[in-house]
């Protein structure tokens, strides 16, 4: 996406004569994001990736519903410091702008004095991440699931990703094996029977759909740069109906690999101290959200989500890197191997992790 296209889109939301300065913001793998400075104002401009989100209007309808709900929840209440990005309408009154090339853009408020963290450095930060996710789940707990569009049908439904993987693998014409590909394929083959564990819980009625964030990775938690307190969850395109376990599992997947998601697979370890802090923080904010059945599936969630993401990275590698952005050939395969190493680490600690969960969420 060219800077000129972003500048033109920004004009749809800004005052007609304003001088605008655009800077790339964040390192997301899906959307193009810019911080816009308009005089003394700063706000966020994003291009919604239509290949990932084919119905941007539905994404914006969800975001508008959430934005309005958050504003109403704060009305008349003491300021607790939590914030969500709010939708900024375009000058024509709509919530988005479609450019000449058909790309869809939207504008959001900028959470000032806040930063994201590249990795968890100490348990206090992990606890703040858990509190942020718990706060979000508490905020949306009263929102009816039926009011939200399913903007990503099948998102986090691992059996569907497994079917896609099988189809791509069967149709693959290039049989050259990149380093690590054979071990990645064998890893999936040995664990594929567990891919439906959360969906089985849903089918049995033990797990129920609620409004979820969908992508609560560490990059999407903002911390106050002065106090170090978590103040926001951003990147709300994936807000939709789903299982709380998707959020909890993905949050722990992202945060508990203390070597970071860009590290070598040999360094990927699931850190129990970080996990304890995240779950403790979450339960402080949203402990009432988890019933007995929910708690029973927590270990399965933290196991499944890195397996799922690794499977998605591996599938994209086999398909020619069509979904996740890459800088180098083979990057999606390396990303898959990191996630699978994290799964290995979780499996090696299963007894300890289950005991930890039982002690914190009795």
């Amino acid at each position: 996406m060219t800077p000129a296209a972003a500048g033109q889109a920004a004009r749809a939301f800004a005052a007609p004569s304003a001088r605008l300065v655009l800077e790339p913001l964040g390192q997301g793998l899906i959307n193009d994001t810019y911080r816009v400075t308009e005089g003394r104002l700063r706000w966020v401009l994003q291009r919604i990736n239509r290949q990932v989100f084919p119905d941007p209007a539905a994404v914006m309808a969800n975001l508008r519903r959430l934005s309005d709900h958050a504003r109403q929840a704060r009305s008349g209440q003491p300021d607790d410091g939590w914030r969500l990005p709010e939708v900024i309408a375009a000058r024509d009154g709509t919530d988005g702008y479609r450019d000449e090339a058909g790309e869809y853009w939207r504008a959001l408020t900028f959470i000032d004095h806040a930063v994201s963290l590249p990795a968890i450095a100490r348990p206090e930060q992990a606890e703040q991440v858990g509190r942020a996710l718990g706060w979000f789940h508490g905020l949306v707990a009263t929102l009816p699931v039926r009011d939200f569009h399913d903007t990503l049908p099948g998102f986090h439904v691992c059996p569907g990703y497994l079917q896609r993987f099988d189809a791509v693998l069967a149709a693959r014409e290039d049989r050259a094996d990149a380093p690590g590909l054979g071990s990645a394929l064998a890893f999936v083959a040995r664990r594929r029977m567990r891919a439906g564990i959360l969906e089985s819980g849903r089918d049995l009625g033990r797990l129920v759909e609620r409004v979820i964030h969908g992508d609560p990775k560490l990059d999407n938690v903002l911390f106050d740069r002065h106090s170090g307190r978590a103040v926001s969850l951003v990147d709300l395109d994936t807000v939709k109906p789903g299982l709380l376990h998707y959020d909890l599992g993905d949050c722990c997947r992202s945060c508990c690999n203390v070597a970071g998601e860009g590290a070598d697979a040999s360094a990927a370890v699931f850190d129990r101290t970080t996990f304890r802090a995240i779950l403790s923080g979450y339960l402080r904010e949203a402990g009432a959200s988890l019933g007995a059945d929910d708690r029973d599936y927590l270990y399965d969630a933290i196991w499944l989500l890195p397996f799922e993401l690794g499977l998605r990275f591996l599938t994209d590698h086999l398909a020619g890197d069509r979904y996740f952005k890459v800088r180098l050939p083979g990057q999606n395969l390396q990303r898959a191997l990191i996630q699978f190493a994290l799964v290995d680490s979780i499996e090696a600690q299963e007894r300890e992790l289950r005991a930890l969960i039982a002690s914190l969420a009795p």
Side-chain angles (χ1 to χ4, degrees):
M1 187 55 54
T2 66
Q8 179 183 357
R11 288 288 170 195
F13 300 92
S17 59
R19 179 178 179 272
L20 304 180
V21 178
L22 275 66
E23 306 167 85
L25 181 64
Q27 301 179 5
L29 299 180
I30 305 298
N31 295 331
D32 294 319
T33 306
Y34 300 86
R35 180 173 56 203
V36 181
T37 301
E38 179 185 354
R40 295 184 178 181
L41 298 176
R42 289 198 295 178
W43 44 276
V44 175
L45 175 73
Q46 282 189 317
R47 179 188 67 89
I48 298 178
N49 188 329
R50 290 182 300 149
Q51 184 175 351
V52 178
F53 300 100
D55 189 356
V59 171
M60 291 309 300
N62 284 355
L63 191 51
R64 170 58 73 181
R65 180 76 178 90
L66 178 63
S67 180
D68 291 348
H69 175 71
R71 189 183 306 110
Q72 293 166 6
R74 288 202 311 269
S75 178
Q77 299 297 319
D79 187 356
D80 59 6
W82 294 107
R83 295 284 184 273
L84 282 182
E86 296 185 13
V87 177
I88 299 173
R91 290 204 314 272
D92 65 3
T94 62
D95 285 336
Y97 166 74
R98 196 177 296 274
D99 66 19
E100 295 175 354
E103 300 292 346
Y104 194 97
W105 300 80
R106 51 95 180 284
L108 304 170
T109 55
F110 180 70
I111 309 296
D112 211 354
H113 306 299
V115 295
S116 59
L117 301 179
I120 295 293
R122 53 186 187 275
E124 293 83 1
Q125 294 172 336
E127 184 178 4
Q128 287 295 315
V129 170
R131 289 193 65 204
L133 183 57
W135 166 79
F136 181 85
H137 283 170
L139 174 69
V140 301
T142 58
L143 286 170
V145 171
R146 64 178 180 274
D147 288 354
F148 283 77
H149 299 281
D150 189 349
T151 52
L152 286 172
F155 187 50
H156 286 318
V157 178
C158 199
Y161 292 123
L162 194 60
Q163 290 178 357
R164 167 70 175 159
F165 164 79
D166 288 339
V168 169
L169 183 62
R172 180 171 165 251
E173 296 179 359
D174 177 12
R175 295 294 172 177
D177 284 349
L181 179 58
S183 63
L185 296 175
F187 188 94
V188 173
R190 290 194 299 270
R191 292 161 176 82
R192 60 184 298 130
M193 297 304 294
R194 290 191 63 189
I197 184 66
L198 292 186
E199 298 314 306
S200 295
R202 186 209 300 258
D203 292 342
L204 291 169
R206 299 188 66 191
L207 302 178
V208 298
E209 276 198 335
R210 310 178 213 192
V211 178
I212 64 169
H213 180 280
D215 190 22
K217 59 189 177 185
L218 180 59
D219 286 350
N220 291 335
V221 180
L222 296 187
F223 294 77
D224 184 281
R225 67 170 69 249
H226 304 299
S227 68
R229 181 181 181 273
V231 293
S232 186
L233 261 178
V234 297
D235 202 357
L236 304 171
D237 292 337
T238 48
V239 169
K240 65 186 290 290
L243 302 178
L244 293 186
H245 293 69
Y246 298 156
D247 276 358
L248 283 161
D250 205 29
C251 180
C252 294
R253 175 203 63 76
S254 170
C255 296
C256 294
N257 178 8
V258 292
E261 296 194 288
D264 187 82
S266 62
V269 175
F270 189 88
D271 185 74
R272 289 203 307 273
T273 300
T274 302
F275 172 64
R276 174 188 287 275
I278 290 173
L279 188 56
S280 296
Y282 180 85
L283 293 173
R284 282 180 58 189
E285 296 286 339
S289 298
L290 297 180
D293 286 339
D294 294 317
R295 296 192 294 271
D296 286 346
Y297 282 87
L298 279 180
Y299 172 81
D300 301 303
I302 65 170
W303 177 91
L304 183 65
L305 269 292
F307 176 78
E308 173 211 299
L309 184 58
L311 182 65
R312 292 171 63 197
F313 282 141
L314 179 58
T315 302
D316 204 32
H317 169 76
L318 295 171
D321 303 318
R322 299 178 182 179
Y323 186 92
F324 296 105
K325 296 178 183 176
V326 296
R327 294 184 300 274
L328 297 169
Q331 187 172 11
N332 274 325
L333 174 57
Q334 294 308 309
R335 289 167 172 161
L337 292 172
I338 291 169
Q339 296 304 313
F340 291 159
L342 197 60
V343 173
D344 263 333
S345 179
I346 291 168
E347 292 174 344
Q349 303 177 77
E350 178 175 356
R351 179 176 298 181
E352 294 84 355
L353 289 168
R354 288 188 181 276
L356 193 160
I357 291 167
S359 69
L360 292 178

